[in-house]
Amino acid sequence: MTNAELPTPRTVVPIEPSLLIAEAFDQAQVTELRHSVTSCANAAGLVGQRLDDFVLAVNELITNAVRHGGGRGWLRLWRRPGELVCEVSDHGHGLSERQLHDRSRPAPDTAGGWGLWLARELSDAMEVESGAAGTTVRISATATD
């Protein structure tokens, strides 16, 4: 190769400095991913009950993705000024209109249906987008650090 034939430089897209986790998962990674979320959320300023609540909410979302969303999913965790955001996506068949809009607490004797309700209750904000190609749920919590 001569100097005239130098390889074309590769374009490297910088990772957003506020992105903490971007990872695909299935059932085998749920526990490890929950531990990673705990560490990152704590480093981002969530402590005590706020940390526990956020991690439980994320755990419910990743468990839902595995159970109801095709057996696997994708998690992204990032920081915005004063806020920690987690997004979980799956490739399931989507949620029904009733599931999307139902904000009522499940009956105490109900075995399922607690995941989205808990995630909504344990986070500061929650957004859900769902359709035939899957579901994406984004939750956030105010961070102190």
Side-chain angles (χ1 to χ4, degrees), residues 18-25 29-48 50-63 74-79 84-88 122-123 137 139-141 143:
S18 61
L19 183 64
L20 304 172
I21 299 173
E23 190 169 328
F25 63 88
Q29 287 86 33
V30 168
T31 300
E32 180 182 335
L33 189 54
R34 184 179 61 243
H35 291 302
S36 295
V37 168
T38 301
S39 295
C40 290
N42 185 255
L46 293 183
V47 295
R50 299 274 302 148
L51 174 64
D52 294 345
D53 287 351
F54 187 78
V55 171
L56 179 55
V58 171
N59 188 69
E60 290 296 324
L61 297 178
I62 60 180
T63 300
W74 179 259
L75 180 139
R76 290 187 325 136
L77 181 71
W78 69 93
R79 291 188 66 170
L84 188 63
V85 182
C86 184
E87 181 179 272
V88 176
L122 297 173
S123 59
V137 181
I139 61 171
S140 62

Short mmCIF file of all heavy atoms in Angstrom, two decimals, residues 18-25 29-48 50-63 74-79 84-88 122-123 137 139-141 143:
data_model
loop_
_atom_site.label_atom_id
_atom_site.label_comp_id
_atom_site.label_asym_id
_atom_site.label_seq_id
_atom_site.Cartn_x
_atom_site.Cartn_y
_atom_site.Cartn_z
N SER A 18 -23.46 10.95 29.12
CA SER A 18 -24.44 10.71 30.17
C SER A 18 -25.03 9.30 30.09
O SER A 18 -25.76 8.90 30.97
CB SER A 18 -25.55 11.75 30.11
OG SER A 18 -26.22 11.68 28.87
N LEU A 19 -24.72 8.55 29.02
CA LEU A 19 -25.22 7.19 28.89
C LEU A 19 -24.45 6.28 29.82
O LEU A 19 -23.22 6.21 29.79
CB LEU A 19 -25.08 6.70 27.44
CG LEU A 19 -25.64 5.32 27.15
CD1 LEU A 19 -27.16 5.29 27.35
CD2 LEU A 19 -25.29 4.92 25.72
N LEU A 20 -25.17 5.59 30.70
CA LEU A 20 -24.54 4.74 31.70
C LEU A 20 -24.59 3.26 31.32
O LEU A 20 -23.64 2.52 31.57
CB LEU A 20 -25.21 4.95 33.06
CG LEU A 20 -25.22 6.40 33.56
CD1 LEU A 20 -26.07 6.52 34.81
CD2 LEU A 20 -23.81 6.87 33.81
N ILE A 21 -25.70 2.82 30.75
CA ILE A 21 -25.86 1.42 30.33
C ILE A 21 -26.65 1.41 29.03
O ILE A 21 -27.64 2.12 28.88
CB ILE A 21 -26.64 0.59 31.38
CG1 ILE A 21 -25.92 0.56 32.72
CG2 ILE A 21 -26.84 -0.85 30.87
CD1 ILE A 21 -26.73 -0.11 33.83
N ALA A 22 -26.22 0.57 28.11
CA ALA A 22 -26.97 0.26 26.89
C ALA A 22 -26.72 -1.22 26.64
O ALA A 22 -25.63 -1.60 26.20
CB ALA A 22 -26.52 1.11 25.72
N GLU A 23 -27.70 -2.05 26.94
CA GLU A 23 -27.44 -3.49 26.92
C GLU A 23 -28.68 -4.29 26.56
O GLU A 23 -29.77 -4.04 27.08
CB GLU A 23 -26.94 -3.92 28.30
CG GLU A 23 -26.42 -5.31 28.36
CD GLU A 23 -25.71 -5.60 29.67
OE1 GLU A 23 -25.10 -4.68 30.25
OE2 GLU A 23 -25.79 -6.76 30.10
N ALA A 24 -28.48 -5.27 25.68
CA ALA A 24 -29.52 -6.24 25.39
C ALA A 24 -29.52 -7.27 26.52
O ALA A 24 -28.48 -7.51 27.14
CB ALA A 24 -29.26 -6.92 24.05
N PHE A 25 -30.68 -7.86 26.79
CA PHE A 25 -30.75 -8.84 27.88
C PHE A 25 -31.79 -9.90 27.58
O PHE A 25 -32.69 -9.70 26.76
CB PHE A 25 -31.06 -8.15 29.22
CG PHE A 25 -32.41 -7.47 29.25
CD1 PHE A 25 -33.55 -8.17 29.63
CD2 PHE A 25 -32.54 -6.14 28.88
CE1 PHE A 25 -34.79 -7.54 29.65
CE2 PHE A 25 -33.78 -5.52 28.89
CZ PHE A 25 -34.91 -6.22 29.28
N GLN A 29 -29.56 -12.62 32.02
CA GLN A 29 -28.87 -11.39 32.42
C GLN A 29 -29.66 -10.52 33.40
O GLN A 29 -29.17 -9.47 33.82
CB GLN A 29 -28.54 -10.53 31.19
CG GLN A 29 -27.43 -11.05 30.33
CD GLN A 29 -27.90 -12.04 29.31
OE1 GLN A 29 -29.02 -11.94 28.81
NE2 GLN A 29 -27.07 -13.02 29.00
N VAL A 30 -30.86 -10.91 33.77
CA VAL A 30 -31.71 -10.05 34.61
C VAL A 30 -31.03 -9.68 35.92
O VAL A 30 -30.96 -8.50 36.28
CB VAL A 30 -33.10 -10.69 34.85
CG1 VAL A 30 -33.86 -9.96 35.94
CG2 VAL A 30 -33.90 -10.70 33.55
N THR A 31 -30.50 -10.63 36.64
CA THR A 31 -29.88 -10.34 37.94
C THR A 31 -28.65 -9.46 37.78
O THR A 31 -28.49 -8.46 38.49
CB THR A 31 -29.51 -11.65 38.67
OG1 THR A 31 -30.71 -12.40 38.86
CG2 THR A 31 -28.87 -11.38 40.01
N GLU A 32 -27.79 -9.81 36.84
CA GLU A 32 -26.58 -9.01 36.62
C GLU A 32 -26.93 -7.59 36.19
O GLU A 32 -26.32 -6.62 36.66
CB GLU A 32 -25.73 -9.69 35.54
CG GLU A 32 -24.44 -8.95 35.24
CD GLU A 32 -23.65 -9.63 34.13
OE1 GLU A 32 -23.79 -10.85 33.93
OE2 GLU A 32 -22.88 -8.92 33.47
N LEU A 33 -27.92 -7.45 35.33
CA LEU A 33 -28.34 -6.13 34.88
C LEU A 33 -28.92 -5.31 36.03
O LEU A 33 -28.63 -4.12 36.15
CB LEU A 33 -29.35 -6.27 33.74
CG LEU A 33 -29.73 -5.01 32.99
CD1 LEU A 33 -28.51 -4.28 32.45
CD2 LEU A 33 -30.68 -5.36 31.85
N ARG A 34 -29.69 -5.94 36.90
CA ARG A 34 -30.24 -5.23 38.06
C ARG A 34 -29.10 -4.72 38.95
O ARG A 34 -29.15 -3.59 39.44
CB ARG A 34 -31.17 -6.16 38.85
CG ARG A 34 -31.84 -5.43 40.03
CD ARG A 34 -32.79 -6.34 40.79
NE ARG A 34 -32.11 -7.48 41.36
CZ ARG A 34 -32.36 -8.76 41.04
NH1 ARG A 34 -33.28 -9.06 40.16
NH2 ARG A 34 -31.69 -9.72 41.62
N HIS A 35 -28.05 -5.52 39.14
CA HIS A 35 -26.90 -5.07 39.94
C HIS A 35 -26.19 -3.89 39.26
O HIS A 35 -25.77 -2.94 39.94
CB HIS A 35 -25.92 -6.22 40.18
CG HIS A 35 -26.46 -7.27 41.09
ND1 HIS A 35 -26.87 -7.01 42.38
CD2 HIS A 35 -26.66 -8.60 40.91
CE1 HIS A 35 -27.30 -8.13 42.95
NE2 HIS A 35 -27.19 -9.11 42.07
N SER A 36 -26.07 -3.93 37.95
CA SER A 36 -25.44 -2.82 37.22
C SER A 36 -26.26 -1.54 37.35
O SER A 36 -25.71 -0.45 37.56
CB SER A 36 -25.29 -3.18 35.73
OG SER A 36 -24.40 -4.24 35.56
N VAL A 37 -27.58 -1.67 37.24
CA VAL A 37 -28.47 -0.51 37.40
C VAL A 37 -28.32 0.05 38.82
O VAL A 37 -28.24 1.27 39.00
CB VAL A 37 -29.93 -0.89 37.09
CG1 VAL A 37 -30.89 0.22 37.54
CG2 VAL A 37 -30.11 -1.17 35.60
N THR A 38 -28.26 -0.82 39.81
CA THR A 38 -28.11 -0.36 41.19
C THR A 38 -26.83 0.45 41.36
O THR A 38 -26.85 1.54 41.93
CB THR A 38 -28.09 -1.57 42.17
OG1 THR A 38 -29.30 -2.30 42.02
CG2 THR A 38 -27.94 -1.12 43.60
N SER A 39 -25.72 -0.07 40.85
CA SER A 39 -24.43 0.64 40.97
C SER A 39 -24.46 1.98 40.27
O SER A 39 -24.02 3.00 40.82
CB SER A 39 -23.30 -0.22 40.38
OG SER A 39 -23.13 -1.39 41.12
N CYS A 40 -24.98 2.01 39.05
CA CYS A 40 -25.03 3.26 38.28
C CYS A 40 -25.98 4.27 38.91
O CYS A 40 -25.67 5.46 38.97
CB CYS A 40 -25.43 2.98 36.84
SG CYS A 40 -24.19 2.12 35.87
N ALA A 41 -27.12 3.81 39.37
CA ALA A 41 -28.10 4.71 39.98
C ALA A 41 -27.55 5.31 41.27
O ALA A 41 -27.73 6.50 41.55
CB ALA A 41 -29.42 3.99 40.24
N ASN A 42 -26.85 4.49 42.05
CA ASN A 42 -26.24 4.99 43.27
C ASN A 42 -25.16 6.02 42.95
O ASN A 42 -25.10 7.08 43.58
CB ASN A 42 -25.67 3.83 44.08
CG ASN A 42 -25.12 4.28 45.41
OD1 ASN A 42 -23.92 4.37 45.58
ND2 ASN A 42 -26.01 4.56 46.34
N ALA A 43 -24.32 5.73 41.96
CA ALA A 43 -23.28 6.68 41.56
C ALA A 43 -23.87 7.97 41.00
O ALA A 43 -23.26 9.04 41.09
CB ALA A 43 -22.35 6.04 40.53
N ALA A 44 -25.09 7.88 40.46
CA ALA A 44 -25.77 9.06 39.90
C ALA A 44 -26.49 9.88 40.95
O ALA A 44 -27.06 10.92 40.65
CB ALA A 44 -26.75 8.63 38.82
N GLY A 45 -26.49 9.41 42.21
CA GLY A 45 -27.06 10.20 43.28
C GLY A 45 -28.32 9.66 43.93
O GLY A 45 -28.86 10.29 44.83
N LEU A 46 -28.79 8.51 43.50
CA LEU A 46 -29.95 7.93 44.17
C LEU A 46 -29.44 7.12 45.37
O LEU A 46 -28.51 6.34 45.24
CB LEU A 46 -30.73 7.01 43.23
CG LEU A 46 -31.45 7.67 42.06
CD1 LEU A 46 -32.24 6.63 41.28
CD2 LEU A 46 -32.37 8.79 42.52
N VAL A 47 -30.07 7.34 46.50
CA VAL A 47 -29.66 6.64 47.72
C VAL A 47 -30.90 6.19 48.50
O VAL A 47 -32.01 6.66 48.26
CB VAL A 47 -28.77 7.53 48.64
CG1 VAL A 47 -27.45 7.86 47.97
CG2 VAL A 47 -29.50 8.80 49.02
N GLY A 48 -30.69 5.27 49.42
CA GLY A 48 -31.75 4.86 50.33
C GLY A 48 -32.98 4.35 49.62
O GLY A 48 -32.90 3.58 48.66
N ARG A 50 -35.09 5.89 47.71
CA ARG A 50 -35.19 6.32 46.30
C ARG A 50 -34.45 5.35 45.39
O ARG A 50 -34.94 4.99 44.32
CB ARG A 50 -34.61 7.73 46.11
CG ARG A 50 -35.28 8.81 46.90
CD ARG A 50 -36.48 9.42 46.26
NE ARG A 50 -36.15 9.99 44.98
CZ ARG A 50 -37.01 10.04 43.97
NH1 ARG A 50 -38.21 9.58 44.10
NH2 ARG A 50 -36.68 10.57 42.82
N LEU A 51 -33.27 4.92 45.82
CA LEU A 51 -32.49 3.95 45.05
C LEU A 51 -33.24 2.62 44.98
O LEU A 51 -33.41 2.06 43.88
CB LEU A 51 -31.11 3.75 45.68
CG LEU A 51 -30.23 2.66 45.07
CD1 LEU A 51 -29.88 3.00 43.62
CD2 LEU A 51 -28.97 2.48 45.90
N ASP A 52 -33.70 2.14 46.12
CA ASP A 52 -34.43 0.86 46.15
C ASP A 52 -35.67 0.90 45.27
O ASP A 52 -35.95 -0.05 44.53
CB ASP A 52 -34.83 0.50 47.58
CG ASP A 52 -33.64 0.21 48.48
OD1 ASP A 52 -32.52 -0.01 47.97
OD2 ASP A 52 -33.84 0.22 49.72
N ASP A 53 -36.42 1.99 45.33
CA ASP A 53 -37.64 2.12 44.52
C ASP A 53 -37.32 2.11 43.03
O ASP A 53 -37.99 1.43 42.24
CB ASP A 53 -38.39 3.40 44.87
CG ASP A 53 -39.08 3.34 46.22
OD1 ASP A 53 -39.13 2.25 46.84
OD2 ASP A 53 -39.56 4.40 46.68
N PHE A 54 -36.30 2.87 42.64
CA PHE A 54 -35.94 2.96 41.22
C PHE A 54 -35.49 1.59 40.70
O PHE A 54 -35.91 1.15 39.63
CB PHE A 54 -34.86 4.02 41.01
CG PHE A 54 -34.57 4.29 39.56
CD1 PHE A 54 -35.42 5.07 38.80
CD2 PHE A 54 -33.43 3.77 38.95
CE1 PHE A 54 -35.15 5.33 37.46
CE2 PHE A 54 -33.15 4.01 37.62
CZ PHE A 54 -34.02 4.79 36.87
N VAL A 55 -34.64 0.91 41.46
CA VAL A 55 -34.14 -0.40 41.03
C VAL A 55 -35.28 -1.41 40.95
O VAL A 55 -35.35 -2.21 40.01
CB VAL A 55 -33.01 -0.89 41.97
CG1 VAL A 55 -32.64 -2.33 41.67
CG2 VAL A 55 -31.79 0.02 41.83
N LEU A 56 -36.21 -1.38 41.90
CA LEU A 56 -37.36 -2.29 41.83
C LEU A 56 -38.21 -1.99 40.60
O LEU A 56 -38.67 -2.90 39.91
CB LEU A 56 -38.20 -2.19 43.11
CG LEU A 56 -39.45 -3.08 43.15
CD1 LEU A 56 -39.11 -4.55 42.90
CD2 LEU A 56 -40.16 -2.90 44.49
N ALA A 57 -38.42 -0.71 40.30
CA ALA A 57 -39.19 -0.33 39.11
C ALA A 57 -38.51 -0.85 37.85
O ALA A 57 -39.16 -1.43 36.97
CB ALA A 57 -39.35 1.19 39.05
N VAL A 58 -37.19 -0.68 37.75
CA VAL A 58 -36.45 -1.18 36.59
C VAL A 58 -36.55 -2.70 36.52
O VAL A 58 -36.76 -3.28 35.45
CB VAL A 58 -34.97 -0.73 36.63
CG1 VAL A 58 -34.15 -1.43 35.55
CG2 VAL A 58 -34.87 0.78 36.47
N ASN A 59 -36.41 -3.37 37.66
CA ASN A 59 -36.50 -4.83 37.69
C ASN A 59 -37.87 -5.30 37.17
O ASN A 59 -37.95 -6.29 36.44
CB ASN A 59 -36.25 -5.34 39.10
CG ASN A 59 -36.14 -6.84 39.14
OD1 ASN A 59 -35.18 -7.41 38.63
ND2 ASN A 59 -37.14 -7.49 39.72
N GLU A 60 -38.93 -4.60 37.56
CA GLU A 60 -40.27 -4.97 37.06
C GLU A 60 -40.34 -4.83 35.55
O GLU A 60 -40.93 -5.67 34.86
CB GLU A 60 -41.34 -4.10 37.73
CG GLU A 60 -41.55 -4.41 39.19
CD GLU A 60 -42.08 -5.81 39.43
OE1 GLU A 60 -42.89 -6.31 38.62
OE2 GLU A 60 -41.69 -6.42 40.45
N LEU A 61 -39.72 -3.78 35.01
CA LEU A 61 -39.76 -3.56 33.57
C LEU A 61 -38.96 -4.62 32.81
O LEU A 61 -39.42 -5.12 31.78
CB LEU A 61 -39.24 -2.16 33.22
CG LEU A 61 -40.06 -1.00 33.78
CD1 LEU A 61 -39.43 0.33 33.41
CD2 LEU A 61 -41.51 -1.07 33.31
N ILE A 62 -37.78 -4.97 33.29
CA ILE A 62 -36.99 -5.97 32.57
C ILE A 62 -37.62 -7.36 32.72
O ILE A 62 -37.59 -8.15 31.78
CB ILE A 62 -35.49 -5.94 32.96
CG1 ILE A 62 -35.25 -6.21 34.43
CG2 ILE A 62 -34.86 -4.63 32.54
CD1 ILE A 62 -33.78 -6.20 34.84
N THR A 63 -38.22 -7.62 33.86
CA THR A 63 -38.92 -8.89 34.05
C THR A 63 -40.12 -8.98 33.11
O THR A 63 -40.37 -10.02 32.49
CB THR A 63 -39.35 -9.06 35.51
OG1 THR A 63 -38.18 -9.03 36.34
CG2 THR A 63 -40.08 -10.37 35.73
N TRP A 74 -34.08 -4.69 25.66
CA TRP A 74 -32.98 -3.75 25.53
C TRP A 74 -33.16 -2.70 26.61
O TRP A 74 -34.25 -2.14 26.75
CB TRP A 74 -33.01 -3.11 24.15
CG TRP A 74 -31.94 -2.11 23.91
CD1 TRP A 74 -32.09 -0.75 23.95
CD2 TRP A 74 -30.57 -2.35 23.61
NE1 TRP A 74 -30.89 -0.14 23.69
CE2 TRP A 74 -29.94 -1.11 23.48
CE3 TRP A 74 -29.81 -3.50 23.45
CZ2 TRP A 74 -28.59 -0.98 23.19
CZ3 TRP A 74 -28.47 -3.37 23.15
CH2 TRP A 74 -27.87 -2.13 23.02
N LEU A 75 -32.10 -2.44 27.39
CA LEU A 75 -32.16 -1.44 28.45
C LEU A 75 -31.15 -0.35 28.18
O LEU A 75 -30.00 -0.63 27.80
CB LEU A 75 -31.85 -2.08 29.80
CG LEU A 75 -31.89 -1.11 31.00
CD1 LEU A 75 -32.56 -1.75 32.18
CD2 LEU A 75 -30.49 -0.66 31.38
N ARG A 76 -31.59 0.89 28.36
CA ARG A 76 -30.69 2.05 28.33
C ARG A 76 -30.92 2.84 29.61
O ARG A 76 -32.06 3.04 30.02
CB ARG A 76 -30.97 2.96 27.13
CG ARG A 76 -30.58 2.36 25.82
CD ARG A 76 -30.68 3.30 24.64
NE ARG A 76 -31.78 4.25 24.75
CZ ARG A 76 -31.69 5.56 24.47
NH1 ARG A 76 -30.56 6.09 24.08
NH2 ARG A 76 -32.74 6.33 24.58
N LEU A 77 -29.83 3.26 30.23
CA LEU A 77 -29.88 4.07 31.45
C LEU A 77 -28.99 5.27 31.21
O LEU A 77 -27.84 5.12 30.78
CB LEU A 77 -29.37 3.25 32.64
CG LEU A 77 -29.37 3.94 34.01
CD1 LEU A 77 -30.79 4.11 34.53
CD2 LEU A 77 -28.54 3.13 35.00
N TRP A 78 -29.53 6.48 31.44
CA TRP A 78 -28.72 7.67 31.23
C TRP A 78 -29.11 8.76 32.22
O TRP A 78 -30.13 8.70 32.86
CB TRP A 78 -28.82 8.16 29.79
CG TRP A 78 -30.14 8.74 29.38
CD1 TRP A 78 -30.51 10.05 29.42
CD2 TRP A 78 -31.27 8.03 28.84
NE1 TRP A 78 -31.80 10.19 28.95
CE2 TRP A 78 -32.28 8.98 28.58
CE3 TRP A 78 -31.51 6.69 28.55
CZ2 TRP A 78 -33.51 8.63 28.05
CZ3 TRP A 78 -32.75 6.35 28.02
CH2 TRP A 78 -33.72 7.31 27.78
N ARG A 79 -28.20 9.74 32.29
CA ARG A 79 -28.43 10.90 33.16
C ARG A 79 -28.81 12.09 32.33
O ARG A 79 -28.28 12.30 31.25
CB ARG A 79 -27.15 11.23 33.93
CG ARG A 79 -26.80 10.19 34.95
CD ARG A 79 -25.66 10.66 35.79
NE ARG A 79 -26.15 11.82 36.55
CZ ARG A 79 -25.49 12.38 37.53
NH1 ARG A 79 -24.32 11.94 37.87
NH2 ARG A 79 -25.99 13.41 38.18
N LEU A 84 -32.28 10.79 36.53
CA LEU A 84 -31.82 9.51 36.01
C LEU A 84 -32.98 8.90 35.22
O LEU A 84 -34.12 8.88 35.70
CB LEU A 84 -31.42 8.60 37.16
CG LEU A 84 -30.74 7.30 36.81
CD1 LEU A 84 -29.41 7.55 36.09
CD2 LEU A 84 -30.49 6.49 38.07
N VAL A 85 -32.70 8.42 34.01
CA VAL A 85 -33.74 7.90 33.13
C VAL A 85 -33.38 6.48 32.72
O VAL A 85 -32.23 6.19 32.39
CB VAL A 85 -33.89 8.76 31.86
CG1 VAL A 85 -35.01 8.24 30.97
CG2 VAL A 85 -34.12 10.22 32.22
N CYS A 86 -34.38 5.60 32.74
CA CYS A 86 -34.19 4.22 32.29
C CYS A 86 -35.27 3.91 31.26
O CYS A 86 -36.45 4.21 31.47
CB CYS A 86 -34.28 3.24 33.45
SG CYS A 86 -33.96 1.53 32.94
N GLU A 87 -34.84 3.29 30.17
CA GLU A 87 -35.75 2.89 29.10
C GLU A 87 -35.59 1.40 28.84
O GLU A 87 -34.47 0.93 28.65
CB GLU A 87 -35.43 3.69 27.85
CG GLU A 87 -36.32 3.40 26.67
CD GLU A 87 -35.92 4.26 25.48
OE1 GLU A 87 -36.45 5.39 25.39
OE2 GLU A 87 -35.08 3.81 24.69
N VAL A 88 -36.69 0.68 28.84
CA VAL A 88 -36.68 -0.75 28.57
C VAL A 88 -37.60 -0.99 27.37
O VAL A 88 -38.75 -0.56 27.38
CB VAL A 88 -37.15 -1.57 29.79
CG1 VAL A 88 -37.23 -3.05 29.45
CG2 VAL A 88 -36.23 -1.34 30.98
N LEU A 122 -43.34 3.73 41.67
CA LEU A 122 -42.01 3.84 42.27
C LEU A 122 -41.08 4.80 41.55
O LEU A 122 -39.94 5.00 41.99
CB LEU A 122 -41.36 2.45 42.34
CG LEU A 122 -42.08 1.44 43.23
CD1 LEU A 122 -41.45 0.06 43.08
CD2 LEU A 122 -42.09 1.88 44.68
N SER A 123 -41.53 5.39 40.47
CA SER A 123 -40.70 6.36 39.74
C SER A 123 -41.39 7.72 39.72
O SER A 123 -42.57 7.82 40.04
CB SER A 123 -40.43 5.86 38.31
OG SER A 123 -41.64 5.66 37.61
N VAL A 137 -40.87 1.36 27.59
CA VAL A 137 -41.27 2.05 28.81
C VAL A 137 -40.09 2.86 29.30
O VAL A 137 -38.98 2.35 29.40
CB VAL A 137 -41.72 1.06 29.91
CG1 VAL A 137 -42.16 1.82 31.16
CG2 VAL A 137 -42.83 0.15 29.40
N ILE A 139 -38.85 5.37 32.44
CA ILE A 139 -39.11 5.90 33.77
C ILE A 139 -37.97 6.84 34.15
O ILE A 139 -36.86 6.75 33.61
CB ILE A 139 -39.27 4.80 34.84
CG1 ILE A 139 -38.00 3.95 34.96
CG2 ILE A 139 -40.50 3.95 34.55
CD1 ILE A 139 -38.00 2.98 36.13
N SER A 140 -38.26 7.71 35.11
CA SER A 140 -37.21 8.62 35.58
C SER A 140 -37.36 8.86 37.07
O SER A 140 -38.43 8.66 37.64
CB SER A 140 -37.27 9.95 34.81
OG SER A 140 -38.51 10.59 35.04
N ALA A 141 -36.25 9.28 37.65
CA ALA A 141 -36.21 9.63 39.08
C ALA A 141 -35.27 10.82 39.25
O ALA A 141 -34.23 10.90 38.58
CB ALA A 141 -35.73 8.45 39.91
N ALA A 143 -32.37 12.81 40.67
CA ALA A 143 -31.08 12.44 41.28
C ALA A 143 -30.54 13.64 42.03
O ALA A 143 -30.72 14.79 41.63
CB ALA A 143 -30.10 12.01 40.21
#
